[in-house]
Amino acid sequence: MLKHLICATPTYKGQLGFEHRTMTDNLRMLCAFTMQAEMQRKFSDRLLVPSARKYAFNYVGWMDISSCSIARNRNRFLFNALRLTLTPRGQNGTAGAPTPADYLLMVDADTSSDNAKAILQMLTACDGEGAAVISAPVLRRDGRYNQIVEHDGKMLYADPAKFMGKVVPVRRAGGAFMALNLAWFREHWGTWDPEDPWFHMKPATEPSGEPTDLAEDYVLCDGIAKRGGKLLLDARLEPYHDGAPYPPQHPYSRHGRVLEVEGRDETAEDVTPAQAAEG
């Protein structure tokens, strides 16, 4: 079944990493290929290229909102994606029944992946599990990955040794490379409410008593969990994050800073609100 995909990037002053062009071009071309394969499948399975059997996506387009408020950008992306309807056209130009968009893929301006096949596999995994959100692990500039698990009532940074190469559930997923299942939101949380926003920088307090904020993407995840939704991490794909401290053996190390702090146990401490807001 064909799924409709919208991509979006929150920017500041319109600044965007050059890698985004390659990412969107690759994704658009592969989506066109899977759509053609889906059309061929209707006539004969023999014409369908096997690698395209698992997913068929229509790349609708890319949204960009430039603002210093990332929470407002993300809320507007989701609001507009939920309202969007598409009218398919037959070969004779006849309009079909309007259909809603299926997925919103949000990718930060300094984050990207040119692996279009892995992106579509990520969306397919989300669809198969009926999850509200699926995200890929992004290395933050503090050397931790932006994924949080809950253990014995504590929020801890996920250990990459336990999730790399897998699709696993998480408690909080970072929004740097995140896909939202719009069908889930329409059913469970589809109406904008300023008293209960999707994305929101939530005021919090550090153990020291100092005021801080909980990051807007983690607040979204808490709202999903409250509604019984599933959050997934697809670590078969790791996007590149500009300026992240990749270790020397990492494929991205030639682009980012070398990790200076070694031997740190990333799961041994509670995630404070300030740490959750960094990255």
Side-chain angles (χ1 to χ4, degrees):
M1 181 177 178
L2 184 65
K3 300 289 183 178
H4 301 290
L5 168 66
I6 309 168
C7 296
T9 298
T11 64
Y12 177 65
K13 293 184 178 180
Q15 297 174 353
L16 189 67
F18 71 91
E19 297 90 352
H20 266 255
R21 177 64 182 267
T22 301
M23 178 182 66
T24 53
D25 283 351
N26 290 354
L27 192 56
R28 183 172 59 250
M29 286 188 291
L30 184 57
C31 284
F33 174 76
T34 65
M35 285 181 64
Q36 181 65 29
E38 177 69 8
M39 292 175 61
Q40 291 179 348
R41 184 189 62 78
K42 295 178 181 179
F43 300 99
S44 172
D45 272 354
R46 289 176 299 177
L47 297 177
L48 180 63
V49 177
S51 64
R53 288 181 184 271
K54 294 182 181 179
Y55 34 77
F57 287 91
N58 170 31
Y59 180 88
V60 176
W62 173 62
M63 294 189 290
D64 164 35
I65 298 177
S66 182
S67 162
C68 60
S69 172
I70 190 164
R72 180 173 61 193
N73 290 0
R74 296 194 193 282
N75 281 320
R76 287 184 174 178
F77 287 145
L78 181 51
F79 178 81
N80 287 297
L82 289 170
R83 297 173 63 196
L84 180 67
T85 56
L86 304 155
T87 304
R89 297 276 178 178
Q91 290 186 345
N92 60 358
T94 304
T99 59
D102 296 289
Y103 281 94
L104 170 64
L105 174 64
M106 288 190 294
V107 182
D108 283 358
D110 59 0
T111 306
S112 62
S113 172
D114 60 5
N115 191 340
K117 181 178 179 180
I119 295 173
L120 297 193
Q121 287 177 330
M122 182 179 82
L123 298 175
T124 303
C126 184
D127 206 60
E129 293 288 334
V133 158
I134 192 166
S135 68
V138 174
L139 186 66
R140 298 160 30 126
R141 292 189 178 94
D142 64 2
R144 297 179 173 91
Y145 280 91
N146 64 344
Q147 306 292 324
I148 305 297
V149 295
E150 189 170 6
H151 182 69
D152 292 338
K154 296 180 179 180
M155 296 291 184
L156 307 174
Y157 287 102
D159 182 356
K162 296 179 180 178
F163 66 68
M164 280 301 181
K166 304 174 184 177
V167 179
V168 297
V170 290
R171 179 57 180 79
R172 289 173 175 165
F177 204 101
M178 172 186 282
L180 286 72
N181 182 344
L182 298 175
W184 185 94
F185 278 90
R186 289 188 189 96
E187 181 177 354
H188 300 282
W189 198 7
T191 303
W192 166 251
D193 180 0
E195 300 299 321
D196 186 23
W198 300 304
F199 295 94
H200 173 56
M201 296 292 285
K202 183 179 179 181
T205 305
E206 290 283 9
S208 64
E210 186 177 8
T212 185
D213 296 303
L214 183 64
E216 84 293 336
D217 44 5
Y218 292 164
V219 172
L220 173 81
C221 294
D222 289 350
I224 291 171
K226 183 174 68 175
R227 292 164 172 81
K230 183 183 294 186
L231 298 124
L232 293 179
L233 163 66
D234 189 345
R236 298 172 298 179
L237 163 69
E238 182 181 355
Y240 165 67
H241 183 199
D242 187 34
Y246 294 102
Q249 69 274 16
H250 196 284
Y252 293 147
S253 63
R254 65 184 184 278
H255 299 293
R257 305 192 315 270
V258 175
L259 183 63
E260 297 176 354
V261 181
E262 298 181 355
R264 177 175 58 195
D265 183 353
E266 297 183 356
T267 66
E269 56 184 298
D270 287 330
V271 179
T272 68
Q275 290 170 336
E278 293 173 355

